[in-house]
């Protein structure tokens, strides 16, 4: 009998071509399955292919007696209790490679949009009379020569460093593990203690996973320490920033601005953000390209195929005991 796979979100079928050859795959009929819908049927499935915004609760895992693998469609896996899955002998996998470059693009795009008032000017031009033309109007800040502080120097942080370097930025970073000397040279990046990175960076980019250690890693204390013209960019996970503290820092013009692809409340934004001109907002579209959606489907499928073939998944998150 074919193994059964449940995919929580409706995606173009082409990305699942390999999976469909040998597996019995269920896709949601609407845009996505709700947690309740998955809960009803999960006991019949061998694999769950979950999107990053689908909460794989421990209650769901308890119900999923046949489940052997959670193939998460994302690099981040804060929606899954990995330790609990390990305890239950369930493999967790993810899709880091396809998301690295587009997320770095998105971060750089937000940096430029915020420092150079790109979204603000676009918005004003569309409103008759809102934009003042003039050589000293709509002044932004130069990117060249500024210091970019990257918090989380993994794949995406490194890809951003390469881009920022081309723009003439100086790169500092903070990461639990320092890069090797060779890597630091390659990325032209200097490790700094966290507080020093906060006080010396012109632009602070969050590229770390969401864990208990990184929850609200930027809050009132950090905004208070930042340079007057500093900006923050978050393409990682919303709860890395204390959004209340961010709103206050933007309202008081304590900092220059912010570029946000993610929000503390997921799809629910602090309403104040919508009224502020010094923030650029995007609806978690860091990986949202035709190509990347396809590549993520292929890798998420291949993780499942490899696992049931007894091979190494393309990207594993946890190590199961033998
Ligand atoms: C997107 O947010 C991802 O984690 O891949």
């Amino acid at each position: 009998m074919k193994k059964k796979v449940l995919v929580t979100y409706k995606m173009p079928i082409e990305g699942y071509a390999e999976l469909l050859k040998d597996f019995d795959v269920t896709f949601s009929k609407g845009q996505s399955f709700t947690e309740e819908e998955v809960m009803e049927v999960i006991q019949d499935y061998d694999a769950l292919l979950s999107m990053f915004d689908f909460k794989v609760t421990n209650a769901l895992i308890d119900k999923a007696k046949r489940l052997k693998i959670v193939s998460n469609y994302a690099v981040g896996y804060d929606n899954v209790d990995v330790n609990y899955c390990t305890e239950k002998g369930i493999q967790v996998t993810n899709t880091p490679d396809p998301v690295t470059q587009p997320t770095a693009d998105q971060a750089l795009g937000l940096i430029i949009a915020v420092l150079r008032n790109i979204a603000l000017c676009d918005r004003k031009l569309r409103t008759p009379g809102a934009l003042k033309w003039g050589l000293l109007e709509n002044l932004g800040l130069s990117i060249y020569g500024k210091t970019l502080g990257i918090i989380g120097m993994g794949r995406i942080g490194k890809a951003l460093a390469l881009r920022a370097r081309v723009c003439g930025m100086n790169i500092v970073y903070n990461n639990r593990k320092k890069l090797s000397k060779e890597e630091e040279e390659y990325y032209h990046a200097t490790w700094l203690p966290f507080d020093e990175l906060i006080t010396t960076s012109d632009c602070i980019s969050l590229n770390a996973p969401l864990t208990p250690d990184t929850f609200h890693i930027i809050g009132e204390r950090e905004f208070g320490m930042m340079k007057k013209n500093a900006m923050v960019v978050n393409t990682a996970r919303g709860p890395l920033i204390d959004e209340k503290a961010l709103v206050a820092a933007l309202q008081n013009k304590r900092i220059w601005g912010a570029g946000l692809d993610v929000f503390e409340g997921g799809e629910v934004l602090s309403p104040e953000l919508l009224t502020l001109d010094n923030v650029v907002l995007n609806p978690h579209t860091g990986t949202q390209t035709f190509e990347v959606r396809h590549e993520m489907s292929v890798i998420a499928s291949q993780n499942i195929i490899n696992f049931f073939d007894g091979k190494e998944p393309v990207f594993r998150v946890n190590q199961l005991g033998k």
Side-chain angles (χ1 to χ4, degrees):
M1 224 176 51
K2 285 183 173 178
K3 299 268 189 238
K4 291 185 70 162
V5 182
L6 185 83
V7 182
T8 65
Y9 201 97
K10 197 169 177 191
M11 288 276 173
I13 204 90
E14 297 75 29
Y16 298 101
E18 285 303 309
L19 192 65
L20 285 162
K21 283 185 188 162
D22 293 317
F23 291 81
D24 176 359
V25 186
T26 308
F27 295 98
S28 54
K29 295 213 168 43
Q31 195 186 53
S32 66
F33 280 120
T34 62
E35 275 172 46
E36 293 71 32
E37 285 167 338
V38 175
M39 201 62 173
E40 293 242 315
V41 296
I42 194 67
Q43 68 275 9
D44 297 331
Y45 285 86
D46 305 283
L48 177 67
L49 198 154
S50 49
M51 303 301 139
F52 49 75
D53 59 352
F54 184 88
K55 257 225 137 344
V56 182
T57 60
N58 290 355
L60 190 108
I61 295 294
D62 286 340
K63 186 103 190 284
K65 298 289 182 222
R66 281 172 59 167
L67 195 69
K68 294 280 178 293
I69 175 167
V70 174
S71 171
N72 213 39
Y73 185 101
V75 63
Y77 42 83
D78 46 284
N79 56 319
V80 185
D81 185 336
V82 176
N83 287 337
Y84 197 62
C85 285
T86 309
E87 216 176 278
K88 297 281 173 183
I90 295 172
Q91 181 67 62
V92 181
T93 59
N94 64 346
T95 62
D97 258 11
V99 312
T100 301
Q101 307 303 334
T103 309
D105 292 342
Q106 186 86 345
L108 183 64
L110 286 169
I111 292 169
I112 298 175
V114 171
L115 292 181
R116 300 298 308 275
N117 291 325
I118 288 177
L120 176 62
C121 287
D122 176 274
R123 203 157 55 240
K124 283 187 176 174
L125 273 171
R126 292 162 195 265
T127 312
L131 182 115
K132 259 193 175 168
W133 292 78
L135 298 189
L136 292 176
E137 299 297 335
N138 309 301
L139 287 171
L141 293 171
S142 293
I143 289 143
Y144 189 86
K146 293 291 191 311
T147 296
L148 171 65
I150 298 175
I151 297 177
M153 196 64 167
R155 289 176 168 89
I156 298 169
K158 289 173 183 168
L160 175 61
L162 291 179
R163 285 159 174 73
R165 173 79 186 161
V166 174
C167 295
M169 298 185 93
N170 307 310
I171 317 295
V172 296
Y173 74 98
N174 181 268
N175 204 48
R176 267 182 318 180
K177 202 164 159 260
K178 266 192 186 183
L179 302 185
S180 65
K181 220 169 146 329
E182 293 72 31
E183 275 199 300
E184 287 197 341
E185 272 169 21
Y186 180 76
Y187 292 105
H188 298 271
T190 306
W191 184 89
L192 283 187
F194 180 78
D195 281 0
E196 203 178 326
L197 179 145
I198 298 293
T199 53
T200 57
S201 297
D202 299 295
C203 172
I204 296 167
S205 177
L206 293 166
N207 298 104
L210 174 61
T211 67
D213 285 343
T214 60
F215 176 78
H216 283 189
I217 195 167
I218 301 290
E220 196 183 344
R221 183 185 90 98
E222 288 71 26
F223 288 118
M225 289 160 59
M226 287 178 196
K227 286 179 164 178
K228 168 99 184 74
N229 274 341
M231 69 156 290
V232 289
V233 58
N234 190 4
T235 54
R237 287 291 183 266
L240 267 65
I241 297 185
D242 177 347
E243 206 165 280
K244 262 208 179 89
L246 171 66
V247 166
L250 292 170
Q251 282 175 331
N252 306 334
K253 306 230 173 359
R254 174 63 199 79
I255 58 171
W256 173 265
L260 305 176
D261 192 41
V262 285
F263 305 93
E264 189 163 0
E267 293 180 12
V268 182
L269 280 64
S270 300
E272 298 89 340
L273 290 174
L274 304 175
T275 68
L276 290 164
D277 273 340
N278 50 356
V279 61
V280 175
L281 308 167
N282 261 239
H284 202 162
T285 47
T287 60
Q288 208 117 314
T289 72
F290 288 105
E291 297 91 334
V292 174
R293 285 287 171 261
H294 176 81
E295 288 163 27
M296 290 174 83
S297 299
V298 171
I299 301 287
S301 297
Q302 200 60 48
N303 278 333
I304 294 173
I305 295 167
N306 285 12
F307 176 78
F308 284 111
D309 275 355
K311 297 184 192 145
E312 183 61 22
V314 192
F315 296 104
R316 77 161 65 235
V317 171
N318 57 349
Q319 197 70 46
L320 299 177
K322 296 279 170 217

